[in-house]
Amino acid sequence: MSNQAEGLTATHVAIRSEAITKKQKRFRISEKAIMAVKGMLLPAVTLVIWQLAGMLGLVSKTMLPTPVEIAQSAVELVVSGELFGHLQVSITRAALGFVVGGAIGLLTGLAVGFSSRVEQTLDPSVQMLRTIPHLAVIPLFILWFGFGEFSKVLLIAKGAFFPLYVNTFLGIRSVDSKLFDVARVLQFSRWKQITQLVLPAALPNILLGVRLSLGAAWLGLVVAELMGSSEGVGYLIMDARQFSQTSIVFVGIIIFAIVGKATDSLVRYFEKKWLRWRDSYSG
């Protein structure tokens, strides 16, 4: 009888814990739904007011077309295939520039972070170059590399280099010195310290640098596509501006925002995946 009672009690506890788990999952889902609604509330209200202002003639359609007109222009560009063609060119340019600039920035940040001698040699020059705006170097890039794809990719790479360099350098130098004491106790080799101690501790800063570099790559893309380009979303915006097609200009801006947000969300996904071990990551 006692065994039977214990079995019933264990079953009851299991059923109750399962019910609690389901209730917690439902609560999390409802909480996420509420947060999503709250996040969409301000954009929805803004779009409604914007549309009403345009319909009532309070704002000139040439200066500020309504959301419906912008959506119609987007549909026309999608149906004609023009939008996807320009978008493919822009994504390719931004990706190449980010890979080149980001890779050099990461390697340089690692070198400067691990060596004070390299820091004294490189960092002052890099920090000086970091303050030079994109628009200031366009004439030089045109003189040196012409109007081709090479100059555009290099300009994007210039923008992507600095955020990843600075954050990688900062991440390595911000590693807690107490961790090295632990490494000495455990008799870690130099390579083991770098791969199992320094790089994991610097990873949050490095991933932040990746996010900032991606944003800088998109900013550099707009500037690069002003350099005599005949393709790309930046060219689409400039061409529409010349013909006062403001709705198409808005379509290009929205495309930049959507793709930029998508790339940022991708990096945040990897942040959640790779930084689960950090107690402070969840806030």
Side-chain angles (χ1 to χ4, degrees):
M1 288 293 290
S2 61
N3 292 335
Q4 188 176 2
E6 288 177 1
L8 289 172
T9 304
T11 305
H12 178 69
V13 170
I15 293 171
R16 189 174 180 181
S17 62
E18 187 178 350
I20 292 171
T21 304
K22 287 181 179 178
K23 187 179 289 186
Q24 288 176 342
K25 286 182 179 179
R26 285 197 297 268
F27 176 74
R28 288 173 187 169
I29 292 170
S30 61
E31 193 177 35
K32 288 181 180 179
I34 292 170
M35 289 176 63
V37 170
K38 285 181 178 179
M40 293 299 295
L41 186 61
L42 181 60
V45 171
T46 303
L47 288 175
V48 170
I49 295 173
W50 183 356
Q51 182 66 34
L52 290 174
M55 291 172 63
L56 296 173
L58 300 177
V59 183
S60 170
K61 292 185 178 181
T62 305
M63 297 294 294
L64 189 65
T66 64
V68 172
E69 291 171 337
I70 294 171
Q72 289 174 347
S73 297
V75 170
E76 290 173 2
L77 289 170
V78 170
V79 171
S80 66
E82 185 179 358
L83 182 61
F84 291 117
H86 289 299
L87 183 59
Q88 182 180 1
V89 172
S90 291
I91 289 176
T92 303
R93 287 171 178 163
L96 287 173
F98 169 73
V99 168
V100 173
I104 297 173
L106 178 63
L107 294 174
T108 309
L110 290 172
V112 171
F114 282 119
S115 173
S116 58
R117 292 182 180 179
V118 177
E119 178 190 359
Q120 293 167 6
T121 304
L122 289 181
D123 190 62
S125 300
V126 172
Q127 295 299 338
M128 182 176 62
L129 292 173
R130 187 170 65 88
T131 60
I132 300 175
H134 277 356
L135 292 174
V137 299
I138 283 181
L140 283 177
F141 274 59
I142 292 174
L143 286 171
W144 291 345
F145 310 113
F147 290 98
E149 291 297 311
F150 186 65
S151 62
K152 294 178 176 60
V153 171
L154 282 184
L155 192 62
I156 296 167
K158 173 188 174 295
F161 169 84
F162 295 105
L164 197 46
Y165 163 77
V166 171
N167 281 277
T168 302
F169 172 43
L170 178 64
I172 292 172
R173 292 299 175 90
S174 300
V175 176
D176 193 345
S177 59
K178 293 178 181 177
L179 295 176
F180 291 99
D181 296 333
V182 176
R184 277 191 288 270
V185 171
L186 296 175
Q187 297 181 345
F188 277 14
S189 64
R190 179 68 173 170
W191 177 249
K192 214 170 183 180
Q193 286 184 20
I194 292 173
T195 57
Q196 297 187 19
L197 176 68
V198 178
L199 291 181
L203 190 59
N205 285 84
I206 294 173
L207 290 174
L208 175 61
V210 171
R211 291 176 63 186
L212 295 175
S213 289
L214 283 169
W218 279 106
L219 293 174
L221 175 67
V222 178
V223 178
E225 291 184 341
L226 299 178
M227 297 167 52
S229 180
S230 59
E231 293 178 298
V233 178
Y235 164 77
L236 180 69
I237 291 173
M238 294 302 298
D239 187 60
R241 182 189 63 81
Q242 291 179 354
F243 294 98
S244 299
Q245 297 173 323
T246 316
S247 59
I248 296 179
V249 173
F250 272 97
V251 171
I253 293 171
I254 292 169
I255 289 298
F256 276 128
I258 291 172
V259 177
K261 174 59 178 173
T263 53
D264 184 74
S265 297
L266 180 63
V267 179
R268 291 198 68 180
Y269 166 77
F270 286 112
E271 279 185 344
K272 291 179 181 178
K273 191 174 181 180
W274 292 341
L275 301 179
R276 288 177 182 172
W277 56 273
R278 289 178 63 93
D279 295 333
S280 60
Y281 177 72
S282 59

